[in-house]
Amino acid sequence: MVQKKSVKLGDIAQALDVSIVTVSNALQGKKGVSDALRKKIQETALAMGYQSKPREKKERGSYIIGVAVAEKYVKEFPSFYMDIYQRIAAEVQKKGHLTVLEVVTYEKEMLIGPFEPFMEQKIAGLILIGELRREYIQAIRGAYQVPVVCVDYYDVYEDIDCIVTDGFGGMTQMTQLLLEQGYRDLMFVGTPCATKNITDRYLGYCKALQQAGIQDAQQRVLPDRDFENGGYRIAFELPERLPQAFVCNCDKTAGILIGKLKERGVQVPEDVSVVGFDDYKAQLSEGIKLTTYENDEKVLVQISVNTLLKRIEGKARARGVRIVGGSIVLGNTVKMRRE
């Protein structure tokens, strides 16, 4: 006897020529769907024999956790987000569960072609690392209908937990460190609108300058992202006139910057000071230790995994955005002008 194929949300969406997200919202009683369309979707689902799936749980109480990260964040080595994934996988395994990783290509993120994440794996919950397009997030939520936790990314979602690093507060502290040493001629290195994280760090930089009564430095920005084919690479040229100090949005950018300064014959920190962000494996010349901001990756991962497991087991509801603080790491790339 041939087993009857189960009806999926996509089947209902195709039958009515609507999106999977619309079908999901209608069947879950969410806003954004008219009463008439909701009724039509419900009737179609019933007629087609659709059955909502309970949250999947493997044998002996073990869950499969889906983890998604955009390809553009992991194709260059070293990758901060791949390190986060490895920590998540280890934390999940320690608790007796499994992870399956989806590296989201540009085509997948843009929803080009059939939407088939996680190779049809039955997952109990989702962890999304880094910023992904809202359309992709809506599509994956509609496909799985399981609890979702975003790591180092946030947006306005009522039913998603977002566990993020303190980009705004951390960069405020890094900029204040320079201001406290008497620096006033600063430049931010980063493309503010490239990601929400870089935007937050730029705003933290601006906040510190505003508190110090400095206005013009807020406009001195050196973009560092070269966008191509939906992704990006870090690429920029030094300005002709150098500031007293550069405030870099990440350590990788800081490492490239220091290399370019060296090529021009500029010494760090004797001629120009540099600070980074993330405390993550910057490629530096021998003897150089970057002054930067260290994110507490261990706490970030523990909170993210524990939050998802509690929601899978129905022990907690989504709490919105939670910020995990870090701390300044002093190196030798800032010329300390005061004792």
Side-chain angles (χ1 to χ4, degrees):
M1 181 177 179
V2 179
Q3 186 176 3
K4 186 177 179 181
K5 183 179 179 181
S6 62
V7 178
K8 298 181 180 180
L9 293 178
D11 299 326
I12 303 170
Q14 185 176 7
L16 296 175
D17 194 23
V18 297
S19 70
I20 293 176
V21 174
T22 299
V23 174
S24 175
N25 289 341
L27 295 179
Q28 293 185 69
K30 294 183 178 179
K31 298 178 181 179
V33 184
S34 68
D35 292 339
L37 180 55
R38 187 187 306 278
K39 183 179 179 181
K40 188 175 181 180
I41 290 173
Q42 290 172 340
E43 290 174 347
T44 302
L46 181 63
M48 294 177 68
Y50 172 77
Q51 294 182 347
S52 60
K53 297 180 181 179
R55 291 169 184 169
E56 297 289 345
K57 196 170 184 178
K58 288 193 72 184
E59 294 179 2
R60 291 180 286 182
S62 178
Y63 300 116
I64 295 180
I65 306 299
V67 183
V69 59
E71 181 184 43
K72 60 190 175 187
Y73 299 133
V74 300
K75 63 183 178 181
E76 293 186 1
F77 182 84
S79 167
F80 174 70
Y81 283 150
M82 186 53 71
D83 185 48
I84 290 294
Y85 166 69
Q86 291 171 349
R87 287 175 177 267
I88 287 173
E91 185 70 16
V92 168
Q93 185 179 29
K94 186 170 69 175
K95 295 181 179 297
H97 310 295
L98 301 173
T99 58
V100 55
L101 176 64
E102 168 83 0
V103 176
V104 184
T105 63
Y106 171 73
E107 290 76 18
K108 288 181 180 179
E109 191 173 359
M110 295 298 293
L111 304 182
I112 299 173
F115 186 74
E116 298 178 349
F118 301 106
M119 299 175 291
E120 298 296 326
Q121 288 278 354
K122 295 181 178 180
I123 59 176
L126 281 166
I127 293 179
L128 309 181
I129 305 176
E131 185 166 343
L132 290 156
R133 291 180 69 246
R134 295 193 75 186
E135 292 81 0
Y136 175 85
I137 294 176
Q138 294 286 25
I140 202 169
R141 291 170 67 198
Y144 284 103
Q145 303 178 62
V146 295
V148 178
V149 170
C150 291
V151 179
D152 207 32
Y153 168 74
Y154 67 92
D155 208 329
V156 182
Y157 295 110
E158 292 181 357
D159 56 348
I160 290 182
D161 289 278
C162 299
I163 319 299
V164 301
T165 55
D166 191 7
F168 178 84
M171 192 58 86
T172 300
Q173 293 180 47
M174 296 307 300
T175 308
Q176 287 174 339
L177 173 68
L178 293 170
L179 295 171
E180 289 167 359
Q181 300 307 313
Y183 293 98
R184 291 295 181 270
D185 182 12
L186 308 179
M187 178 175 284
F188 181 82
V189 188
T191 305
C193 295
T195 67
K196 282 185 169 62
N197 282 342
I198 299 178
T199 300
D200 286 348
R201 294 172 189 187
Y202 170 68
L203 292 175
Y205 163 78
C206 291
K207 178 66 174 180
L209 294 174
Q210 182 184 47
Q211 290 176 333
I214 300 173
Q215 300 298 327
D216 59 332
Q218 297 181 24
Q219 308 304 320
R220 288 204 291 275
V221 176
L222 178 61
D224 70 336
R225 257 61 175 178
D226 179 24
F227 293 90
E228 185 179 1
N229 298 325
Y232 66 80
R233 64 187 180 94
I234 297 177
F236 58 90
E237 297 298 329
L238 291 176
E240 286 299 319
R241 191 192 75 80
L242 300 177
Q244 292 176 312
F246 287 99
V247 180
C248 299
N249 77 93
C250 69
D251 289 354
K252 187 167 186 178
T253 290
I256 294 173
L257 175 72
I258 291 173
K260 290 180 178 293
L261 290 171
K262 183 179 180 180
E263 290 175 0
R264 190 186 282 193
V266 178
Q267 293 186 321
V268 176
E270 291 79 6
D271 300 322
V272 175
S273 291
V274 177
V275 298
F277 202 97
D278 286 332
D279 191 29
Y280 191 74
K281 301 177 184 177
Q283 301 296 317
L284 300 172
S285 301
E286 186 177 353
I288 294 181
K289 184 175 186 296
L290 186 63
T291 295
T292 184
Y293 185 85
E294 179 184 25
N295 297 306
D296 197 332
E297 295 181 33
K298 182 178 179 180
V299 172
L300 180 75
V301 167
Q302 287 178 339
I303 292 176
S304 300
V305 171
N306 289 338
T307 296
L308 184 65
L309 293 177
K310 286 181 180 179
R311 289 195 57 203
I312 289 172
E313 294 165 1
K315 297 178 181 178
R317 300 178 63 182
R319 293 173 53 188
V321 180
R322 276 172 283 176
I323 299 173
V324 178
S327 58
I328 293 175
V329 177
L330 293 175
N332 59 10
T333 57
V334 174
K335 186 176 180 180
M336 308 301 278
R337 300 187 175 186
R338 297 178 183 176
E339 297 296 331

